[in-house]
Amino acid sequence: MDLPASCPSSTIFLLLATSYTWFLPVTSPQRVPTDPQAAPEYAHSIRLDGDIILGGLFPVHTRGDRGTPCGELKKEKGIHRLEAMMFAIDLINKDPELLPNITLGARILDTCSRDTYALEQSLTFVQALIERDGSDVRCANGDPPIFTKPDKIVGVIGASSSSVSIMVANILRLFKIPQISYASTAPELSDNSRYDFFSRVVPPDSYQAQAMMDIVTAMEWNYVSTLASEGNYGESGVEAFIQISRETGGVCIAQSLKIPREPRPGEFDKIIKRLLETSNARAVIMFANEDDIRRVLDAAKRNNQTGHFLWVGSDSWGSKISPVIGQERVAEGAITILPKRASVDAFDRYFRSRSLSNNRRNVWFAEFWEENFNCKLGMHGRRPGILKKCTGLEKVGRDSSYEQEGKVQFVMDAVYAMAHALHRMHRELCYGYPGLCPRMANNIDGKELLGHIRAVKFNGSASTPVMFNENGDAPGRYDIFQYQITNRSAAEYRVIGSWTNKLHLKVEAMRWRTGDPSLPASVCSMPCRTGERKKVVKGAPCCWHCERCEGYYFQVSEVACEMCPYEMRPDSNRTGCVPIPIIKLEWHSPWAVFPVFISMLGIIATSFVIVTFVRYNDTPIVRASGREMSYVLLTGIFLCYAITFLMIATPDVGVCSLRRIFLGLGMCFSYAALLTKTNRIHRIFEQGKKSVTAPRFISPASQLVITFSLISVQLLGVFVWFAVDPPHIVVDYGEQRTQDPMAARGVLKCDISDLSLICSLGYSILLMVTCTVYAIKTRGVPETFNEAKPIGFTMYTTCIIWLAFIPIFFGTSQSAERMYIQTTTLTISLSLSASVSLGMLYMPKVYIILFHPEQNVPKRKRSFKAIVTAATMSGKLSQKGGDRPNGEVKTELCESMETNSE
């Protein structure tokens, strides 16, 4: 290849670029104009001379439209940041303690916010490390070409975007050039095996994602959507957030949406509509660049969703004004996160002093000047639509608004970190040598420099510690902001907390669009009320239906109900169990008042009959009734009435013992006496038909022996019962275990089962049935003879009473009122049985004794044969027998039996 003798520098640069395009992973190499007058050598970069040159990558321009690499100027993220690098270099060069006698220089490039373009630009940093073969290149006069020696870059500051940093890091690591980013936060860059020469002064998004998760948890949100810009920053940030949500649990992702690099028209409206498909997920976690944030907010505003979404923005939103200009209302309440930073006052003074005359080293400053002051510089200005001409006398901060960009501090910290590492390296390699010693001047080993970078620790430009871990990451320190609109309609970001491995959030400082101080909700399902368990929807662990713990179940956890122990019931809010109230039959209960009233009347009447019989013990009526048997029978009647008080009394061991003894004893006394009487009458008249001799065992003494023999069987059974099953009390929780636990009661009762009760009364009922049989057999005895007819009527009535008792008693065994019904039924049945016996057998006698004493006189005694013959004949001559005084024959018979027995 032959070149002109002059070999213009632009042509030489073209040859240089061509010589190393063999390893480029892109299809179109950087085009350099061949016209000597087209542009100076560094028209698209900034070059500062120095002993050691640092590279710089900044998004001076936005990403251009299709086919155009660069777009509009970025005043803050571009110009502020690159000026911060140059300002930091100026301070370091003036610092006699840091890198003394050594001057730092810089080569600063524009990435245009595009990773592929940034990769092309970054090739500038490795020019000095590429061996060039110029053997086949000659100038026109035959001399070999003179190559301009490129700057040797020892380290790179940048880039801003994570996608750009990843792309550039893949190249720089091949040439062992350390790189320190001031804004790239993708967790992927923490992989020391792939990005071993990459470090950063900002914490990775894994910390940021944890901080955002802590915010979501503190806000009591468990159902959120995520929104990411396509690329490493957005996608890795959301991936880290989702991974944390899976590990910690408690937060579910409703939707995870991605914003394309090149969104089509209407794309953001579709995103808003998709977010509305899960309207309960009001919180939206955003890892997006500021351009995408602005367009998302605009789409929400167009779709009338102002106030619906609860935005949680990453550090790409931070406290920037550009995403929210013109859409303050839709952004109101947004919670954003930003690495903890402070404004660098020295930089403010420096930047406000910049002008067109004193800042010629910044090749993009004229463009910034036009953009910042909305004017045009000369005929060839970059803003042809603007008529206003720039005077050059404008002043930043006076004639335009100014606020320091948020990453300025980190840019300066990155430069200082590189300087401190070089200082440590110089002290180690060139100790005592002024300036660069040969070991550093000829070649600075990138791997060795990286070791010093990872070891630095100093207070940065905002007096915050700057250090790196083994992966080159800075510690996580964030400020939490909320975008608020005050009462004066002024919108601003306010610090509401911080995160340093732990969240510190001032909830009381938060403000919401509704004015309600309570936290807004972003949940799939509202929390269940007390006493309700969560029934989780399959596949959606944060969505559930609430089911109340019914019956005797109480809430043991958020998702489970358990049954209370048998003797307990749920409390009023069903969060625990309380003992079931224990009840017994009270004296004032209507179920007790009526039986007690009947019993008291019966006891009074029985006592009156006993007193009357004792008073008139030797009168014919009393003697004819069989005095001994009458007192036994009256004792049984009295006990039948008295058992009511034992059945109602508060159960204890003593009461339960007395119940067992006297429950069947009263009936046994009564029916044993009646059975003995009816059996005696039956035997007398049966014997009278066969013989004139009296039957055996009809004397009063014999009758008592027979009666007490029958009673002893009952007592024997009771004593056996005592031995087999000693009496004790129980609380029956099943008797009144209603479906409504609040109505459940435990019944304090004696441990007497229905079977035991039947056995206790069974013997007495057997006596009653037998007595009834004899009453039927003696039904033919004339009514004027003895007590067969009254006893018969008594037994018939008693059988009816107990036949009615059985279905009532056992038919109510499942009733909630079982204790009351059964106790009342049993006591009334006993009282009615006693009343029937008392009324039919003794009240007529008492009536005669008290009101007709003339009939209570003795008759002449006759032989047994005469009495039986008279009694037999009276059946045939009933009309004649009816003319005799009432009770005459009966009295004679009884008196005759007493005489014979004597």
Side-chain angles (χ1 to χ4, degrees):
M1 180 187 299
D2 294 331
L3 296 177
S6 60
C7 278
S9 60
S10 60
T11 305
I12 296 173
F13 181 72
L14 177 60
L15 289 172
L16 178 62
T18 306
S19 68
Y20 61 75
T21 55
W22 56 270
F23 68 90
L24 277 177
V26 293
T27 55
S28 57
Q30 179 183 9
R31 295 183 179 179
V32 179
T34 56
D35 185 355
Q37 305 299 324
E41 181 180 355
Y42 302 113
H44 297 289
S45 65
I46 296 174
R47 185 179 185 280
L48 303 179
D49 290 330
D51 300 324
I52 299 175
I53 306 297
L54 302 179
L57 293 171
F58 295 93
V60 181
H61 294 87
T62 63
R63 186 170 53 212
D65 296 331
R66 295 179 182 274
T68 306
C70 301
E72 298 178 354
L73 181 77
K74 286 187 172 183
K75 294 193 299 180
E76 289 83 13
K77 293 182 71 173
I79 299 300
H80 283 206
R81 292 180 182 181
L82 71 85
E83 286 288 348
M85 180 176 178
M86 293 192 292
F87 176 61
I89 289 175
D90 292 343
L91 293 179
I92 293 168
N93 289 337
K94 294 176 184 177
D95 190 343
E97 302 296 330
L98 187 61
L99 292 175
N101 300 315
I102 298 175
T103 303
L104 287 181
R107 183 73 183 273
I108 301 174
L109 305 175
D110 180 11
T111 65
C112 291
S113 307
R114 187 187 295 273
D115 50 4
T116 53
Y117 182 79
L119 179 62
E120 294 178 10
Q121 293 290 88
S122 65
L123 294 178
T124 305
F125 298 147
V126 298
Q127 291 178 22
L129 302 176
I130 299 175
E131 295 182 1
R132 301 171 182 83
D133 183 9
S135 58
D136 61 339
V137 180
R138 291 290 183 272
C139 292
N141 59 2
D143 295 336
I146 300 174
F147 291 99
T148 302
K149 184 178 181 181
D151 294 320
K152 185 176 182 180
I153 307 298
V154 299
V156 175
I157 306 300
S160 175
S161 168
S162 294
S163 59
V164 172
S165 289
I166 288 172
M167 190 75 79
V168 172
N170 284 321
I171 296 299
L172 297 181
R173 72 183 296 267
L174 297 176
F175 297 91
K176 299 181 180 180
I177 299 177
Q179 174 187 1
I180 302 179
S181 173
Y182 50 84
S184 298
T185 57
E188 183 181 350
L189 289 165
S190 297
D191 187 351
N192 204 36
S193 63
R194 295 176 58 194
Y195 308 102
D196 45 345
F197 280 81
F198 177 85
S199 304
R200 48 187 163 190
V201 292
V202 289
D205 285 337
S206 53
Y207 295 158
Q208 183 175 199
Q210 182 63 62
M212 296 172 79
M213 176 59 69
D214 290 347
I215 293 171
V216 168
T217 304
M219 299 298 291
E220 299 179 357
W221 297 338
N222 66 3
Y223 197 52
V224 301
S225 296
T226 62
L227 186 59
S229 292
E230 186 175 2
N232 291 97
Y233 171 77
E235 293 178 35
S236 59
V238 164
E239 183 179 348
F241 182 86
I242 293 175
Q243 182 63 29
I244 293 172
S245 72
R246 289 172 181 166
E247 293 173 356
T248 60
V251 176
C252 297
I253 309 301
Q255 294 191 77
S256 188
L257 307 181
K258 187 187 299 183
I259 303 172
R261 292 180 187 271
E262 305 291 341
R264 300 176 182 177
E267 187 71 37
F268 290 92
D269 291 325
K270 292 179 181 178
I271 290 173
I272 295 298
K273 290 177 182 178
R274 286 196 59 187
L275 290 173
L276 289 174
E277 290 176 2
T278 51
S279 58
N280 284 351
R282 296 177 60 194
V284 181
I285 312 301
M286 299 183 69
F287 283 86
N289 60 60
E290 61 181 280
D291 294 333
D292 288 341
I293 294 170
R294 184 177 65 253
R295 287 182 283 187
V296 167
L297 295 177
D298 186 51
K301 183 178 179 181
R302 282 197 308 272
N303 286 272
N304 298 319
Q305 296 303 319
T306 299
H308 174 76
F309 293 109
L310 305 169
W311 311 107
V312 181
S314 62
D315 62 345
S316 60
W317 185 336
S319 59
K320 296 186 180 71
I321 299 299
S322 57
V324 297
I325 290 178
Q327 39 208 20
E328 290 81 0
R329 290 292 177 184
V330 73
E332 183 180 2
I335 300 173
T336 60
I337 188 172
L338 193 64
K340 189 176 285 292
R341 63 182 177 85
S343 180
V344 183
D345 295 335
F347 177 79
D348 289 339
R349 293 190 296 270
Y350 162 80
F351 195 79
R352 285 191 176 100
S353 67
R354 299 297 88 190
S355 65
L356 291 173
S357 60
N358 65 12
N359 198 22
R360 294 183 180 274
R361 62 182 180 178
N362 186 345
V363 297
W364 297 288
F365 199 70
E367 186 179 354
F368 165 80
W369 199 266
E370 290 183 329
E371 180 75 22
N372 191 55
F373 297 107
N374 196 26
C375 60
K376 183 172 66 173
L377 287 170
M379 295 297 295
H380 301 288
R382 291 177 177 270
R383 299 171 62 85
I386 301 300
L387 300 178
K388 177 184 175 182
K389 291 186 178 181
C390 302
T391 63
L393 301 177
E394 293 87 356
K395 189 172 181 63
V396 175
R398 184 193 67 186
D399 300 316
S400 65
S401 60
Y402 167 75
E403 182 179 358
Q404 187 180 124
E405 201 274 333
K407 293 292 194 301
V408 164
Q409 168 199 342
F410 300 107
V411 173
M412 296 182 65
D413 288 346
V415 176
Y416 267 91
M418 192 71 75
H420 277 281
L422 289 168
H423 182 80
R424 288 168 56 93
M425 189 175 185
H426 179 268
R427 191 171 53 189
E428 181 180 307
L429 299 179
C430 308
Y431 186 77
Y433 193 96
L436 288 178
C437 64
R439 294 182 62 183
M440 287 187 67
N442 296 330
N443 182 32
I444 294 179
D445 183 81
K447 193 171 185 63
E448 188 176 354
L449 176 60
L450 176 66
H452 288 292
I453 291 175
R454 298 290 172 85
V456 300
K457 185 176 182 181
F458 63 95
N459 284 332
S461 55
S463 299
T464 56
V466 177
M467 66 187 77
F468 304 97
N469 63 14
E470 64 277 6
N471 296 322
D473 295 328
R477 294 187 294 266
Y478 296 96
D479 283 323
I480 313 297
F481 296 87
Q482 187 184 37
Y483 191 66
Q484 299 179 0
I485 298 179
T486 62
N487 295 332
R488 299 179 181 178
S489 298
E492 62 179 341
Y493 291 96
R494 289 191 176 181
V495 177
I496 58 169
S498 62
W499 190 92
T500 307
N501 297 323
K502 184 179 180 182
L503 179 66
H504 303 278
L505 191 64
K506 301 175 184 176
V507 178
E508 66 279 1
M510 305 180 78
R511 298 290 181 271
W512 305 99
R513 187 172 184 271
T514 59
D516 188 350
S518 60
L519 299 178
S522 180
V523 294
C524 181
S525 302
M526 296 303 293
C528 293
R529 292 175 296 181
T530 303
E532 294 180 340
R533 75 176 185 93
K534 296 177 181 178
K535 186 178 181 182
V536 179
V537 177
K538 187 175 182 180
C542 294
C543 301
W544 58 79
H545 303 296
C546 295
E547 288 186 349
R548 185 164 179 78
C549 299
E550 297 291 348
Y552 289 84
Y553 286 84
F554 73 101
Q555 183 183 5
V556 68
S557 67
E558 286 189 344
V559 296
C561 296
E562 285 186 4
M563 180 174 283
C564 288
Y566 193 69
E567 70 280 3
M568 305 184 82
R569 68 182 184 186
D571 55 20
S572 57
N573 56 14
R574 291 185 176 270
T575 56
C577 297
V578 296
I580 295 176
I582 299 174
I583 62 170
K584 61 181 182 63
L585 185 57
E586 301 290 346
W587 292 102
H588 55 78
S589 169
W591 295 98
V593 170
F594 185 62
V596 168
F597 178 73
I598 295 176
S599 296
M600 291 181 67
L601 290 180
I603 289 173
I604 293 170
T606 305
S607 300
F608 179 74
V609 171
I610 292 173
V611 170
T612 302
F613 267 53
V614 172
R615 172 69 179 79
Y616 298 96
N617 189 55
D618 293 324
T619 60
I621 290 292
V622 175
R623 294 178 64 188
S625 300
R627 288 174 295 186
E628 295 78 3
M629 298 303 296
S630 292
Y631 291 131
V632 173
L633 180 56
L634 287 170
T635 300
I637 292 173
F638 184 89
L639 292 176
C640 286
Y641 285 124
I643 193 64
T644 296
F645 297 94
L646 289 175
M647 298 301 294
I648 296 174
T650 302
D652 57 33
V653 175
V655 170
C656 292
S657 299
L658 293 175
R659 283 187 188 180
R660 289 192 181 188
I661 295 171
F662 292 104
L663 180 60
L665 191 61
M667 291 179 62
C668 187
F669 263 81
S670 299
Y671 299 126
L674 286 175
L675 175 60
T676 303
K677 274 194 168 191
T678 53
N679 175 265
R680 177 173 179 254
I681 295 171
H682 174 70
R683 287 189 296 114
I684 288 173
F685 283 92
E686 287 296 319
Q687 182 68 20
K689 295 177 183 180
K690 302 175 183 177
S691 172
V692 294
T693 59
R696 301 172 63 188
F697 309 118
I698 61 173
S699 65
S702 301
Q703 297 296 294
L704 287 174
V705 170
I706 295 171
T707 300
F708 283 107
S709 297
L710 295 174
I711 293 172
S712 65
V713 175
Q714 172 75 17
L715 291 174
L716 179 62
V718 170
F719 291 143
V720 172
W721 188 8
F722 270 86
V724 173
D725 183 18
H728 59 278
I729 59 172
V730 295
V731 179
D732 188 351
Y733 293 99
E735 184 170 316
Q736 292 199 25
R737 194 173 181 84
T738 57
Q739 290 185 350
D740 180 11
M742 294 298 105
R745 297 292 184 271
V747 179
L748 180 64
K749 60 195 294 187
C750 294
D751 187 23
I752 301 177
S753 64
D754 290 346
L755 179 61
S756 300
L757 181 66
I758 291 299
C759 292
S760 179
L761 295 176
Y763 180 65
S764 300
I765 293 174
L766 177 62
L767 294 177
M768 180 185 68
V769 172
T770 307
C771 186
T772 303
V773 171
Y774 276 107
I776 294 172
K777 287 185 177 183
T778 58
R779 68 184 184 281
V781 176
E783 61 181 9
T784 53
F785 289 89
N786 217 297
E787 299 174 308
K789 289 290 195 293
I791 290 175
F793 289 134
T794 298
M795 300 316 301
Y796 304 151
T797 307
T798 302
C799 286
I800 293 173
I801 291 172
W802 287 99
L803 285 174
F805 161 79
I806 292 174
I808 295 174
F809 186 88
F810 293 100
T812 57
S813 60
Q814 303 301 321
S815 172
E817 306 291 336
R818 172 187 174 184
M819 176 188 67
Y820 305 112
I821 296 174
Q822 291 188 341
T823 302
T824 302
T825 302
L826 179 59
T827 54
I828 290 179
S829 296
L830 289 168
S831 296
L832 287 179
S833 300
S835 299
V836 169
S837 299
L838 186 66
M840 290 191 173
L841 298 178
Y842 293 101
M843 284 307 173
K845 296 179 177 64
V846 173
Y847 176 76
I848 292 173
I849 292 171
L850 296 179
F851 299 104
H852 295 281
E854 71 278 3
Q855 297 182 14
N856 189 14
V857 294
K859 303 297 179 180
R860 63 184 178 87
K861 295 182 179 180
R862 293 183 286 179
S863 66
F864 177 77
K865 178 180 179 182
I867 294 171
V868 172
T869 302
T872 305
M873 292 299 295
S874 66
K876 300 177 181 179
L877 303 171
S878 57
Q879 67 277 14
K880 292 182 179 181
D883 295 336
R884 301 186 66 179
N886 188 22
E888 182 178 342
V889 176
K890 175 175 61 180
T891 302
E892 291 181 15
L893 178 61
C894 292
E895 289 178 347
S896 175
M897 295 302 103
E898 287 187 355
T899 301
N900 294 337
S901 65
E902 293 171 358

